[in-house]
Amino acid sequence: MKNLILILIIFLCVGCKKSPFENFEIEKVWPDPTVSLKDFKSTILGNKNGWEFLIHNKGNNSMHYGYLNFKSENSSEFLSDFGPKYYNLTPSEINIQLVEINAGIVFPTRSKLSLFALESNVLDSIYIVKSLQNDTITLEGQTKRSTLTLIKVNESKLEKIRNNRIEVNKNALAKILKMPKFFFQLEHEGKKVDLDIDTVEKTFNLRYTVGDKLNIDVFNYYFDADGIKFHKNLIFNNKSFEKIIINSISESEALLTNGLKIINYKSPIFYDPMAIKVIEGTNISFGWGSTDGFSTRDKTDITKFKKIKNFSRFILFPRFDTDTIAKKDHGFMGILLRGDYVPGSDLPEVHIKSNNIIKFIPFKLAQNPSEELNVIETKKLLYPIIYNKIGFYVIQMRNGFFLVDARDALTWIYFQQAMS
């Protein structure tokens, strides 16, 4: 009897405990998708005129323009200003699908869009939706974090896209950049600034001074259906320019819309003296190397360095040593092969003129000159340029600088740091 009572007490105690399988409310720690896949598909496929797109590469800040027409959730046609093979409409597979929990777009492996992303080396092939507002959809790439913006196309815009002038406008800009002189100026209503056009990062760079300080305003551009458009309006001469169209091109200037003009000129308006200090160094300068030698707009290596067997670089030290007998400081100019210099390197006098032009004057050779025919030919071509009577502008750009012939700006050489 006692045992029976004990068993009943145990069962009663167990029955008083909470069930281990009782449901508890769990707090959600992941965000809801920004846009549902259903709403995204409906929006994307609902506009039969298609979508303009802008891809912003955050690495070099460049912009790529294009057009996407979604035929279904798995097929599309597209074009882009990235390169000639994409200027006209091209069919491609595409997937509108969930990417983890988010609505997104995927360029399938081996599709034309996937090859486009791969060739660019800066674009993604998987994008998820970040926002959908009115006629604009913003998506973010999942590897390189590029931004894809889709803008709804209307019928009038679609007609321009079908008859797009991307190739015409790209060729027109390329023609401007083939003008023979090194320097360009942008002019509007008589006001001028120095202009650099970077076709790699796709920027118009306006150089001007405020007091003694050089300022550079950078404006990203891309080629849309009918012109050269700026991501943020180009501001110049207190005016704002959303887009330019090239109307005509001559040997030395191009006339653009809205009264703008690009002029090819023999000297810069604003010349930065700091570049001289960089190249010159202090007591002993850095060594600077050029792999291409002197060039003109339409031809590289006009001094034929690359014809010399095992040529590596043309080396320049603006400050190198002092001749104790002649009591003269001198620089060094030598043709570097793989491991050694060609005999007869030049030891020139190097003068910085009051207008910050650098000038080289023959002084002496380091040893007897080489008797190799290709070296003799190179020096015969090199000396009239490097020892010209006026000298060179020093133009700092990216990781190096250009020496630009100050006589006419028709010849130049690009150097990067080679040794110290």
Side-chain angles (χ1 to χ4, degrees), residues 353-377:
K353 299 164 70 174
S354 60
N355 56 357
N356 290 307
I357 299 291
I358 189 168
K359 184 180 178 182
F360 304 98
I361 298 174
F363 174 45
K364 67 178 185 177
L365 300 182
Q367 59 276 119
N368 291 330
S370 170
E371 294 181 1
E372 185 184 334
L373 291 179
N374 285 336
V375 174
I376 292 171
E377 182 184 13

Side-chain angles (χ1 to χ4, degrees), residues 100-151:
E100 296 179 347
I101 64 168
N102 297 288
I105 294 174
V106 176
F107 304 159
T109 304
R110 297 188 182 87
S111 68
K112 289 289 180 65
L113 279 163
S114 177
L115 292 173
F116 163 56
L118 185 65
E119 185 179 342
S120 74
N121 200 36
V122 293
L123 308 181
D124 291 273
S125 56
I126 300 175
Y127 289 90
I128 63 168
V129 179
K130 303 301 289 184
S131 69
L132 196 164
Q133 296 179 346
N134 299 323
D135 296 338
T136 303
I137 304 171
T138 305
L139 303 95
E140 183 178 66
Q142 294 306 283
T143 304
K144 298 179 179 177
R145 301 296 174 185
S146 59
T147 301
L148 171 63
T149 305
L150 300 175
I151 305 105

Side-chain angles (χ1 to χ4, degrees), residues 20-133:
F21 302 106
E22 184 175 346
N23 292 327
F24 291 93
E25 186 175 338
I26 299 174
E27 183 181 355
K28 188 170 66 174
V29 295
W30 61 87
D32 287 325
T34 305
V35 178
S36 73
L37 181 61
K38 181 180 177 181
D39 288 344
F40 182 51
K41 282 184 181 180
S42 174
T43 302
I44 283 286
L45 299 175
N47 185 30
K48 300 304 179 184
N49 291 324
W51 301 78
E52 287 183 287
F53 70 75
L54 282 177
I55 300 179
H56 178 206
N57 166 35
K58 294 179 181 177
N60 64 12
N61 213 32
S62 63
M63 307 291 300
H64 298 291
Y65 169 86
Y67 168 75
L68 259 174
N69 186 17
F70 296 85
K71 299 293 188 181
S72 71
E73 60 187 76
N74 301 117
S75 67
S76 68
E77 57 182 5
F78 79 103
L79 59 79
S80 171
D81 72 342
F82 179 74
K85 68 174 74 170
Y86 304 112
Y87 291 162
N88 299 306
L89 285 172
T90 302
S92 177
E93 295 175 62
I94 194 168
N95 292 331
I96 304 172
Q97 64 180 63
L98 282 177
V99 179
E100 296 179 347
I101 64 168
N102 297 288
I105 294 174
V106 176
F107 304 159
T109 304
R110 297 188 182 87
S111 68
K112 289 289 180 65
L113 279 163
S114 177
L115 292 173
F116 163 56
L118 185 65
E119 185 179 342
S120 74
N121 200 36
V122 293
L123 308 181
D124 291 273
S125 56
I126 300 175
Y127 289 90
I128 63 168
V129 179
K130 303 301 289 184
S131 69
L132 196 164
Q133 296 179 346

Side-chain angles (χ1 to χ4, degrees), residues 290-400:
S290 174
T291 56
D292 289 327
F294 278 93
S295 302
T296 60
R297 187 70 73 192
D298 58 358
K299 191 175 181 181
T300 59
D301 192 26
I302 61 173
T303 43
K304 299 185 179 180
F305 283 114
K306 292 180 180 179
K307 278 197 169 184
I308 300 171
K309 187 178 180 180
N310 294 326
F311 170 75
S312 173
R313 283 170 291 186
F314 176 54
I315 299 293
L316 168 67
F317 282 84
R319 291 180 182 270
F320 186 71
D321 204 352
T322 300
D323 185 297
T324 55
I325 297 174
K327 297 182 179 179
K328 283 187 178 182
D329 295 334
H330 61 78
F332 174 92
M333 290 190 296
I335 300 170
L336 180 65
L337 307 181
R338 293 173 189 168
D340 203 359
Y341 284 96
V342 170
S345 294
D346 286 79
L347 306 177
E349 292 182 40
V350 182
H351 296 274
I352 308 299
K353 299 164 70 174
S354 60
N355 56 357
N356 290 307
I357 299 291
I358 189 168
K359 184 180 178 182
F360 304 98
I361 298 174
F363 174 45
K364 67 178 185 177
L365 300 182
Q367 59 276 119
N368 291 330
S370 170
E371 294 181 1
E372 185 184 334
L373 291 179
N374 285 336
V375 174
I376 292 171
E377 182 184 13
T378 287
K379 290 208 168 185
K380 186 177 179 180
L381 295 168
L382 174 67
Y383 282 177
I385 301 172
I386 199 72
Y387 290 129
N388 80 75
K389 292 182 179 180
I390 303 299
F392 295 88
Y393 294 107
V394 181
I395 306 298
Q396 197 165 359
M397 201 167 290
R398 293 205 183 102
N399 298 319

Side-chain angles (χ1 to χ4, degrees), residues 177-188:
L177 295 177
K178 287 180 180 177
M179 291 178 182
K181 297 182 178 67
F182 183 86
F183 300 104
F184 290 94
Q185 300 171 2
L186 184 66
E187 180 182 337
H188 182 259

